[in-house]
Amino acid sequence: MEDHVGHGGSVYVYLRHVGSRSRGWLRYLGAVGAGGFAVALSAMWTSGPLAAGIGAAVTTVITLVTDRVQPQAVQPQATALLRSASGGIPRLGQVDRPELAGVHPADGHPDHPRLAPPYIRRDADTVLRRAVQENGFVLVVGESAAGKTRLVYEVARSCFPRHAFVRPMTRPALAHAIKVASRRRRAVLWLDDLENYLGADGATASALAELVQRRRGRVVVLATMRSQEVRRYEAREESRLTGSDRDAWRVQREVLQLATQIQLQRHWSTGELQRARLYERDPRIGLALGSCDRFGLAEVVAAGPELLAAWQNAWAPGANPRGAAIVAAAVDCRRSGLRRPATRQWLQELHLPYLAARGGPDLQPEPFDEAMRWACTAAYATSGLLIGNFTQGYVAFDYLLNAPRLPAVPDHLWNTLLSRVEATDAYDMGLVAHQTSQLARATAALQRAREGGVEGADFLLAIAVGDRGRPREAAGILAGIVRRRRAQWGARHPETLASVHQWAFFTGEGGDARAAAAAFADLVVETTAALGPGHTDTLAARHQQAYFTGEAGDTESAVQQLTALLEDRTRLEGVDHPQVLAGRRSLIWFSSLDGELAVAERQVGELMADARRTLGAENPHVLAIRSTQADFVARAGRIDEATAMFTELAADRSRLLGSDHPHALHTRLQRAQGLVCAGSHDQARHELAQILEDAQRVLELGHRHLVLAERMINGLRP
């Protein structure tokens, strides 16, 4: 089968910044203008003794000082926690401003500018209160600016006022935060924007489970996460990890699965709006209530729509086009997978191509310093388009990441960024690139991560190399990883079994289907013994055993194995699970080789309807099913129909994966075959020359697509 598709009291305080999760000063003090630095601080903080440590997650929206104001103290990234003026860990009852927990600031009240908007009880409040009392790890999920952090903050302060508030400000500080929480009599480990604590050296399910189980009832892990990030870890997304690459994704997904998840809707219910009207004298609530037909109340209070509109309007000539370009660069830094702030120097360089693409000097761009001030200036005193400061760097307001019709991250940004970041950042960028099938970017980033000594980068790099079209090279790298893992952890350790799976897969993809089938047969025995017959790794190994058995020529055995596997998978995972759908496709394919083609066409049509309904039109499994459909049409002799189907599929795969992705190359070859069969030899010869050029650039020598392309073009020569 051609294209195998195998997240108390307080004092005057200020926020200090450290490392990759920058929070900024709590107010835009530089704009105050009156008095000195100390006067500005005392005017801002009149309520108490908490001196905050660093500012945290990249999606936080605390307004900032001007670039001239520098933090006075920093902590090492590995120990950067929110701390009191005396250096201690505050109790939740002392964290008397929601911004210290990561809540999006709101417009200042005209009479009480330091006062946060009143908390309006959400429908999820009762469910969350019960969850935090009964579970050790609770995750609230919702869209940007839906009110997630404010909800968790209010519930946590009510339920756990005497608990230590342990908030790591950088991902490297998480391990230290876990140690601190484990030593406290009672503690809340606060992980606002959980996605920023996942990845290399980040959170693991085992570490968090050990913390909450060892201190059951004493330690609670509370987290928030944007819906867009959570969707990356849905079961259907596993199918996007081509080449059976699931390990790093699973490590992060296991963290989410450990948590009790509570959904928070962006749009407010009738009951929530009724409760909000009790506070409509507050001008911020009153303004938001007038916009709730289009937006959620919390996002209006946080000025999300206002900021997005400001960014879009700033491109006009003579407005703030340079500022808009800077924001565009910051947005794409985050979309590239960068979890920490970009420096001012980076933004000064990275924004230039964005500005040039929109017209450059014709836009009458403002000076860079003015552009930065504009981008950091708060809308209605809530947040700026950029969050951060001169010392610790800047991140884009997370609401902007969901702007409609954002173009792909351009090469100039991605390549320049990769040349600037640390090895752990490169690992994050590589994961994002690989999971979105940007294989050239993935290999470049993971190569950088491996050279920097990031654990696991060599394994993921090998997978990316294989997926990009060099399976024999990948198998050679993975063979060494298998040996090392066996020596370090033993033959049945999950990490060892995962590496064996990948080695066997790319052995088969490299052309030795018989060896791959035998290796997967052995792996099924090992995973069954180590993990159990119903474990997803055991089921995956059974699928690959059947697939490569069929590819080696024993289609009868492949059909028998796939039939038994589908029965087990359907019982364990349900009829709509992506891997059940993938198993159905494999069974239809191998059954068609010895069966009636008309039956296979009907079956694959039914499969397509189910796959589109559950996975969406652009899922890799759906694209693979379309390829199978077109192949059946070609085998039935309907050449023009098949060529049209391959033409459409080639365009879609090239758009989604790139024209030189192995799956796109194969579909382009299938279209060329249709042209040959239809007698359009000149057009076929022209297209094959371009396919061969693209294939030679990325595929290893002897790759089956290269061999086919060369054979076809030679057959067309006079």
Side-chain angles (χ1 to χ4, degrees):
M1 190 161 49
E2 73 293 333
D3 45 0
H4 190 28
V5 181
H7 203 273
S10 45
V11 283
Y12 305 108
V13 297
Y14 63 95
L15 288 185
R16 296 175 294 184
H17 303 263
V18 140
S20 66
R21 296 170 59 80
S22 185
R23 186 67 83 203
W25 307 90
L26 258 186
R27 290 285 183 183
Y28 190 71
L29 299 180
V32 174
F37 179 57
V39 174
L41 282 177
S42 62
M44 181 58 54
W45 295 101
T46 58
S47 61
L50 226 119
I54 328 182
V58 293
T59 53
T60 303
V61 234
I62 293 184
T63 42
L64 310 172
V65 293
T66 62
D67 290 338
R68 295 187 298 274
V69 180
Q70 304 281 330
Q72 293 184 352
V74 295
Q75 303 171 55
Q77 288 193 27
T79 58
L81 308 179
L82 188 78
R83 295 185 180 274
S84 67
S86 62
I89 302 298
R91 295 190 302 273
L92 251 170
Q94 295 176 291
V95 183
D96 57 358
R97 290 188 62 85
E99 292 91 343
L100 295 174
V103 174
H104 295 319
D107 184 14
H109 190 286
D111 300 323
H112 306 283
R114 296 187 304 275
L115 188 65
Y119 171 62
I120 299 165
R121 183 171 58 83
R122 305 297 300 271
D123 292 343
D125 187 291
T126 302
V127 177
L128 179 59
R129 287 178 185 274
R130 182 167 61 248
V132 300
Q133 298 286 1
E134 297 176 354
N135 302 279
F137 182 11
V138 179
L139 171 64
V140 174
V141 177
E143 294 183 43
S144 173
K148 303 180 296 297
T149 309
R150 182 67 185 270
L151 169 65
V152 183
Y153 166 80
E154 296 291 348
V155 169
R157 271 174 54 88
S158 174
C159 295
F160 310 118
R162 298 186 62 80
H163 280 55
F165 185 66
V166 184
R167 183 181 184 193
M169 301 305 186
T170 67
R171 187 165 69 193
L174 177 60
H176 179 63
I178 291 174
K179 291 180 181 178
V180 170
S182 68
R183 295 169 183 162
R184 296 288 166 149
R185 181 180 178 186
R186 46 183 173 256
V188 167
L189 177 62
W190 190 262
L191 302 179
D192 190 37
D193 294 320
L194 177 62
E195 65 270 19
N196 293 302
Y197 294 97
L198 302 176
D201 301 324
T204 63
S206 58
L208 294 179
E210 180 182 4
L211 174 66
V212 298
Q213 290 171 5
R214 187 174 61 186
R215 303 292 312 283
R216 184 171 295 278
R218 294 287 185 175
V219 173
V220 179
V221 179
L222 299 180
T224 68
M225 196 168 184
R226 292 188 299 125
S227 302
Q228 292 80 0
E229 292 289 343
V230 172
R231 280 198 288 269
R232 292 178 54 210
Y233 300 98
E234 293 176 348
R236 69 178 64 187
E237 293 301 312
E238 186 171 5
S239 64
R240 296 183 181 276
L241 308 184
T242 56
S244 304
D245 169 27
R246 298 184 304 272
D247 292 63
W249 178 85
R250 283 183 182 173
V251 169
Q252 299 178 27
R253 188 188 184 202
E254 286 170 357
V255 174
L256 274 64
Q257 291 178 320
L258 180 66
T260 297
Q261 293 191 24
I262 294 176
Q263 297 290 328
L264 182 64
Q265 298 301 316
R266 177 171 64 91
H267 286 285
W268 286 41
S269 70
T270 300
E272 289 171 332
L273 293 175
Q274 288 175 344
R275 292 190 288 273
R277 290 189 181 96
L278 298 176
Y279 301 94
E280 62 184 345
R281 285 193 173 185
D282 186 306
R284 299 163 293 186
I285 302 299
L287 174 66
L289 283 169
S291 304
C292 283
D293 57 333
R294 295 180 56 207
F295 308 109
L297 189 145
E299 68 179 304
V300 176
V301 170
E306 173 73 19
L307 287 166
L308 178 57
W311 178 32
Q312 294 170 337
N313 294 334
W315 288 105
N320 295 100
R322 191 181 300 278
I326 292 169
V327 173
V331 167
D332 282 350
C333 282
R334 293 193 58 188
R335 294 171 65 214
S336 297
L338 184 68
R339 296 296 193 188
R340 65 185 178 91
T343 68
R344 179 186 173 93
Q345 290 75 20
W346 290 2
L347 293 177
Q348 191 164 12
E349 177 182 358
L350 294 172
H351 87 279
L352 294 174
Y354 291 88
L355 185 63
R358 289 291 193 116
D362 292 340
L363 297 176
Q364 305 168 43
E366 71 277 31
F368 182 77
D369 287 349
E370 179 182 334
M372 288 296 296
R373 285 194 295 272
W374 171 83
C376 294
T377 298
Y380 300 123
T382 58
S383 170
L385 290 158
L386 294 185
I387 315 304
N389 68 14
F390 180 88
T391 302
Q392 298 304 325
Y394 303 85
V395 296
F397 179 25
D398 58 355
Y399 191 86
L400 306 179
L401 305 184
N402 305 321
R405 297 180 297 278
L406 285 176
V409 175
D411 287 339
H412 63 75
L413 181 286
W414 202 92
N415 293 331
T416 304
L417 187 62
L418 182 62
S419 70
R420 302 286 188 271
V421 299
E422 302 293 334
T424 53
D425 301 319
Y427 181 91
D428 292 341
M429 293 174 65
L431 278 181
V432 170
H434 192 227
Q435 291 172 2
T436 53
S437 297
Q438 300 175 78
L439 300 181
R441 290 182 176 182
T443 52
L446 291 169
Q447 177 70 37
R448 173 80 183 278
R450 185 187 68 173
E451 292 170 354
V454 176
E455 183 178 358
D458 57 344
F459 179 57
L460 293 176
L461 175 61
I463 296 170
V465 166
D467 287 346
R468 198 181 179 200
R470 303 198 296 276
R472 293 196 303 277
E473 179 183 345
I477 299 171
L478 286 161
I481 294 174
V482 169
R483 289 192 296 270
R484 292 195 297 272
R485 290 186 173 184
R486 279 177 173 160
Q488 182 178 0
W489 292 318
R492 289 185 175 175
H493 189 281
E495 299 287 346
T496 304
L497 297 174
S499 60
V500 172
H501 185 117
Q502 301 294 348
W503 166 77
F505 176 82
F506 286 115
T507 295
E509 287 290 281
D512 197 343
R514 193 176 303 278
F520 276 114
D522 293 340
L523 184 60
V524 168
V525 175
E526 295 295 322
T527 54
T528 300
L531 305 174
H535 192 278
T536 183
D537 286 358
T538 303
L539 299 174
R542 288 175 61 188
H543 188 145
Q544 301 294 3
Q545 178 190 2
Y547 171 78
F548 285 112
T549 296
E551 288 292 285
D554 189 354
T555 56
E556 182 178 355
S557 294
V559 168
Q560 292 173 352
Q561 293 170 16
L562 286 166
T563 300
L565 174 61
L566 268 176
E567 292 177 358
D568 292 341
R569 273 206 138 139
T570 301
R571 172 174 49 83
L572 293 168
E573 300 171 330
V575 295
D576 289 335
H577 192 280
Q579 295 304 322
V580 172
L581 299 174
R584 285 172 60 188
R585 172 176 173 262
S586 294
L587 179 58
I588 293 168
W589 173 263
F590 287 118
S591 297
S592 75
L593 299 179
D594 298 317
E596 294 185 16
L597 189 58
V599 173
E601 280 198 79
R602 176 179 54 79
Q603 291 174 334
V604 80
E606 294 170 351
L607 173 60
M608 174 61 75
D610 292 340
R612 283 184 179 274
R613 172 176 52 82
T614 57
L615 301 178
E618 295 185 346
N619 183 275
H621 284 309
V622 174
L623 299 179
I625 294 168
R626 287 173 58 187
S627 179
T628 301
Q629 280 186 310
D631 190 271
F632 287 167
V633 170
R635 284 165 57 184
R638 305 196 301 273
I639 301 302
D640 290 344
E641 181 183 351
T643 302
M645 294 173 71
F646 283 128
T647 298
E648 184 178 358
L649 180 59
D652 288 343
R653 278 183 157 166
S654 296
R655 172 176 55 85
L656 295 169
L657 306 175
S659 60
D660 58 2
H661 188 286
H663 291 347
L665 286 170
H666 185 264
T667 307
R668 292 167 64 191
L669 283 170
Q670 290 174 304
R671 168 182 152 76
Q673 286 178 312
L675 293 173
V676 171
C677 292
S680 301
H681 291 180
D682 288 343
Q683 186 177 356
R685 188 180 298 108
H686 172 75
E687 292 189 14
L688 283 168
Q690 185 60 58
I691 293 170
L692 189 60
E693 180 181 337
D694 293 342
Q696 289 173 335
R697 187 174 63 254
V698 295
L699 303 181
E700 64 190 1
L701 290 176
H703 191 283
R704 63 184 185 276
H705 295 347
L706 266 176
V707 172
L708 176 59
E710 290 168 347
R711 185 168 67 244
M712 289 176 63
I713 203 167
N714 288 334
L716 290 174
R717 286 175 179 151

